[in-house]
Amino acid sequence: MGSVEVLAGLLILLIIFRDPLAGALDDPRLQTWTTVFVSIMVQAVPFLVFGVLLSAVIAVFVPRSFWARALPRHPALAVPAASAAGVVLPGCECGSVPIAGSLIRRGVTPAAALAFLLAAPAVNPIVLTATAVAFPDNPEMVLARGLASLVVAMVMGWLWLRLGRTEWIRMPRRPELDDPRRGRAFWAAVRHDVTHAGGFLVLGAMAAASINVLVPERLLQTLADNAWLSILALAALAVLLSLCSEADAFVAASLSQFSLTSRLVFLVVGPMVDLKLISMQAGVFGRRFAFRFAPTTFAVALLIAVGVGAVLL
């Protein structure tokens, strides 16, 4: 049975059960779920495609010797250099994952690639401009977000140098990248990354939409009344909502019942640790990596964001 037969069977089932399905679609909770899911996908897919295309270019057309010249030889110095590269490469976390995978395949030290993965979605010009627009009365929020995110990326890169193990990263074998015809290798890499990363993006968006519907809104106001609980609540909310980094500043600005520091935590944690990002990291680097890297990043981002917020906000 091929895909055409499966599609035909699904269409027949939709026709048979159209009345019960139509009634179910009128449920307000399902409509909310659909809205959240579609909004996440619409925000993320263009940047995912951009990241996949850039990833394929790096994997196929950029020689390994380029990275040896572009980054400092010492891994500890390569980490801040890779973090700073995120400033000039617009994109969100959906695109940075496949790019980081390609960097590792091209011989870049994992610490530098992971620092770029964390920095690029949070310190690029598009995100910082969106933050300035969302917080017109608090320009210090732009500086706080950029500084905190850059520090987190560098700290995580240096932590990987100190504590990380090569066997935790299990990159899938990519024989299509060895095709001597670069055009075919490029499009094969694009098809693979769109299918692979896109599938994990869908799973993460579905989980985020489900949580968005199940968590009652009145709980947010209760948490906002406690300074420390509000910080933890927005950190967890950033993980669960899985917003694109180009749009999360407007959501943070709308949460006016929370303090600026707690909203800064939301903006720093979100582009580095969320459901769709954890899913994509597990698909690209392996589950052993994701289950260690994501919790550590969450803790470091939370602590640094609180510290920067205490000083600048």
Side-chain angles (χ1 to χ4, degrees):
M1 181 179 292
S3 57
V4 175
E5 289 79 7
V6 172
L7 177 60
L10 289 175
L11 291 175
I12 293 172
L13 290 175
L14 288 174
I15 294 172
I16 295 174
F17 296 103
R18 64 183 182 276
D19 292 335
L21 288 173
L25 290 175
D26 290 334
D27 190 323
R29 291 177 298 177
L30 183 58
Q31 292 179 352
T32 301
W33 187 95
T34 304
T35 300
V36 174
F37 173 78
V38 172
S39 65
I40 292 175
M41 294 299 297
V42 168
Q43 290 173 359
V45 165
F47 296 99
L48 174 64
V49 173
F50 172 79
V52 164
L53 292 173
L54 184 56
S55 169
V57 169
I58 292 172
V60 176
F61 296 106
V62 178
R64 292 179 182 270
S65 58
F66 170 80
W67 302 110
R69 298 192 303 268
L71 294 174
R73 292 181 179 273
H74 198 289
L77 298 178
V79 167
S83 301
V87 177
V88 296
L89 285 176
C92 79
E93 58 270 28
C94 305
S96 65
V97 174
I99 294 174
S102 287
L103 290 175
I104 293 175
R105 287 193 179 89
R106 304 309 287 175
V108 174
T109 176
L114 296 177
F116 172 83
L117 182 151
L118 296 177
V123 302
N124 71 70
I126 295 177
V127 170
L128 296 181
T129 301
T131 305
V133 173
F135 291 90
D137 298 326
N138 304 103
E140 66 274 13
M141 183 67 83
V142 179
L143 175 61
R145 181 179 193 177
L147 178 61
S149 300
L150 203 58
V151 172
V152 173
M154 291 189 293
V155 168
M156 287 302 300
W158 287 326
L159 278 177
W160 180 266
L161 283 177
R162 180 77 175 177
L163 304 174
R165 297 181 181 178
T166 306
E167 60 267 23
W168 289 349
I169 297 181
R170 303 184 66 87
M171 304 287 289
R173 187 172 177 271
R174 301 289 298 278
E176 72 274 9
L177 299 180
D178 298 326
D179 194 319
R181 287 169 289 189
R182 291 189 173 184
R184 287 185 56 179
F186 173 80
W187 289 113
V190 169
R191 287 193 299 270
H192 176 277
D193 286 345
V194 166
T195 303
H196 199 66
F200 284 99
L201 172 61
V202 170
L203 292 177
M206 291 173 65
S210 300
I211 293 171
N212 204 303
V213 171
L214 296 175
V215 176
E217 293 184 8
R218 64 180 180 274
L219 182 61
L220 292 179
Q221 185 59 52
T222 303
L223 295 172
D225 295 333
N226 185 294
W228 291 107
L229 282 180
S230 66
I231 289 174
L232 295 175
L234 285 197
L237 190 65
V239 176
L240 299 177
L241 289 182
S242 301
L243 296 172
C244 188
S245 59
E246 275 75 13
D248 59 0
F250 298 98
V251 176
S254 69
L255 299 171
S256 55
Q257 66 268 44
F258 291 89
S259 66
L260 285 177
T261 297
S262 59
R263 284 185 278 177
L264 175 64
V265 170
F266 179 88
L267 295 177
V268 174
V269 170
M272 298 185 178
V273 189
D274 63 33
L275 290 178
K276 70 177 186 297
L277 187 55
I278 294 172
S279 298
M280 293 173 67
Q281 287 177 357
V284 174
F285 301 111
R287 288 178 293 179
R288 293 181 66 190
F289 168 85
F291 293 159
R292 289 172 171 83
F293 190 73
T296 306
T297 304
F298 179 85
V300 171
L302 180 63
L303 292 174
I304 290 177
V306 170
V308 171
V311 174
L312 296 181
L313 303 179

